[in-house]
Amino acid sequence: MQPLQLLAWLATGESVSGAALAARAGVTRAAIWKQVEILRGRGVPIEAHAATGYRLPWPVQMLDAGVIRAALPSALARSLGAIEVHGELDSTSSELQRRSGASDLSIVLAESQTAGRGRRGRSWLSPPGMNIYLSCLKRFESGIAGLSGLSLAIGVIVLRALDQLGVAGAGLKWPNDVLVATGESAGAKLGGILVELSGEYQGPCAAVVGIGLNLRLTPALRLQTGQPACDLASLTGGVPPDRNRVAAVLITALAEGLRQFERDGFAAFTADYAQHDLLRDESLQLTGTLGVIHGTGAGIDARGALQVRLPDGSLRSIDSADVTVRRA
Ligand code: BTN
């Protein structure tokens, strides 16, 4: 029996005895205990009570490709590539990159990732059953040269999806971190976006868009992320939206938004970006290959570069991927 099978059996949030689980799996209760420990080690907070058995502190909706596809607008469902749901992958983005022949707008999701990748070589914590890890392949004829602003546009697309899901209170930190906008968790990370490009500079090319969204994080997982982190549950009164619905809404927003980007470029996203820009008028300290720069956030330009007002009143454009931005 695999740990994810056990997670599926506990998914309702009801208590199930070790004996019942062992009988269902055809293994010993000690074997069940071992799988519980594996899941706990990966961040799933399974509770154990001597009288009633094992339970999750909340119900979990296991991802289901059929349910996700059925929740898409029907025209979109017909025009998309494959939607795959995997129990465990190294990384949904790596999986799509291994599929050189995958059709446009193919989607890969996983319940968990063993080597989830973040920006700048960082890892992305990917416990099973709690969050969303999704990658989408988009092919472009225009070439990589025409894709400036794409990673910021994806941030706008994620915010559009959150709006559709009724999740208010998120914003964007340049270039595309999805953060809590206000309140005591302001600045904590709700999600991350990794866009990886391949192909020709002025010919056919492809983007693998990877999105990680925190739906539920336990206090232990928040500590493990190594940076202030938050989850959608905190913005929605303790119960996050259904995971399959989140996936369907995100896929719909991605497919529509990526086609919009292909047609109209980043210009179609700048107004929405400005609305969610958490750095505008903030006092900033930027560090990177340029050294340390102090200034005030002044929006983005037409290519998606960060505009910073320097103390002498001049504007500086920042587009280096090596720059980190901190509120000073
Ligand atoms: C960041 O550092 O903020 C970007 C994180 C991106 C994580 C997602 S999860 C789905 C996809 N697969 C990966 O390995 N990474 C991205």
Side-chain angles (χ1 to χ4, degrees), residues 91-93 113 116-119 124 134-135 189 192-193 210-212:
S91 147
T92 53
S93 290
Q113 300 181 120
R117 293 186 285 112
R119 287 195 292 120
W124 187 256
L134 178 153
S135 296
K189 194 153 165 166
I193 294 163
I211 299 172

Side-chain angles (χ1 to χ4, degrees), residues 208-228:
V208 171
V209 175
I211 299 172
L213 261 187
N214 300 331
L215 270 64
R216 290 215 190 251
L217 287 179
T218 61
L221 287 168
R222 280 174 207 239
L223 280 179
Q224 275 182 52
T225 61
Q227 57 186 320

